Amino acid sequence: MRDNASEVADIRDAVHLCIDMQNIFAPGGLWATPWMERVLPTIASIASRHPARTMFTRFITPQDPEDRPGQWQSYFHRWRQATRRYLPPSGLELVPALGRFAPPATVIDKPAYSAFSNPTLAGLLVDKNIGTIVITGAETDVCVLSTVLSAVDLGFRVVLVEDALCSSSDVGHDALMTMYRTRFHGQVDLVTAEELAEFWRE
């Protein structure tokens, strides 16, 4: 816990946006993220407390590389095994420990890194009068980063649950956590899951 509780403002009018906790990133998956198992119980605990206010994103790969624009084609030529032509459908599903919360949790499919690459997400948040997005998931330095920057640009308060984020790169994770703390003061708050439970006032 923090020595000074006033450092964290109450969290209201919020949703829990969990990024890309899918089988493809789980141990044994094509893009396995070793930290996922470590943070999964924490994310599941948050989702269990706020199931109707939880949104899970899924990174949906194309059927073929040519189905994506520009540099995404080169990316998926390199990762052809990740395209839906080769990847079993189960690879893109949420890990079972989280999939059980949907419904009532919402699932948002996206074609790119940011959760907001699905244009319906921003509209859903506005319709629900959401002012704060509580972010967990994978990966700290890729899809989480892209989502955070999009959310900041759109004017949302972002709360990152620091013990509920994971990456396949320790260096990338640590660098981004430092950046969030030092470069986005007033727009991005970092809390622990314990602090989130204390400060989230629905």
Side-chain angles (χ1 to χ4, degrees):
M1 295 298 294
R2 297 174 191 270
D3 294 332
N4 182 2
S6 65
E7 291 179 19
V8 180
D10 282 350
I11 298 165
R12 300 181 186 274
D13 303 319
V15 295
H16 168 214
L17 184 62
C18 178
I19 307 297
D20 299 358
M21 293 291 284
Q22 298 163 262
N23 291 322
I24 192 172
F25 300 110
L30 181 63
W31 289 331
T33 301
W35 288 21
M36 180 180 282
E37 286 187 307
R38 187 188 312 175
V39 302
L40 183 56
T42 302
I43 295 174
S45 177
I46 295 168
S48 72
R49 290 196 301 273
H50 308 280
R53 287 182 172 266
T54 291
M55 295 180 167
F56 296 108
T57 68
R58 298 188 307 178
F59 180 61
I60 302 299
T61 61
Q63 180 72 18
D64 296 293
E66 291 72 25
D67 296 334
R68 289 289 191 269
Q71 289 301 110
W72 282 111
Q73 292 186 18
S74 299
Y75 181 86
F76 282 111
H77 276 296
R78 177 186 174 193
W79 289 106
R80 191 174 292 272
Q81 288 177 297
T83 63
R84 297 202 312 275
R85 185 169 297 280
Y86 298 99
L87 186 72
S90 61
L92 299 179
E93 294 298 325
L94 296 172
V95 294
L98 300 179
R100 63 192 176 95
F101 295 110
T106 304
V107 177
I108 303 289
D109 290 342
K110 61 188 182 72
Y113 292 146
S114 174
F116 293 93
S117 63
N118 180 332
T120 65
L121 175 59
L124 284 173
L125 297 177
V126 170
D127 289 345
K128 293 175 180 287
N129 296 312
I130 298 302
T132 299
I133 303 174
V134 175
I135 296 180
T136 65
E139 293 189 57
T140 314
D141 45 350
V142 186
C143 294
V144 170
L145 169 63
S146 186
T147 298
V148 167
L149 294 178
S150 296
V152 168
D153 282 349
L154 290 169
F156 293 102
R157 176 191 178 194
V158 174
V159 176
L160 289 171
V161 186
E162 52 189 320
D163 50 346
L165 299 172
C166 59
S167 174
S168 56
S169 166
D170 288 358
V171 171
H173 174 88
D174 292 346
L176 263 297
M177 298 307 285
T178 298
M179 186 190 78
Y180 294 138
R181 288 189 182 94
T182 60
R183 298 288 287 167
F184 290 96
H185 181 71
Q187 293 173 306
V188 176
D189 293 324
L190 273 66
V191 301
T192 65
E194 184 180 2
E195 288 170 335
L196 179 69
E198 178 180 355
F199 292 106
W200 190 344
R201 318 287 190 206
E202 289 193 0

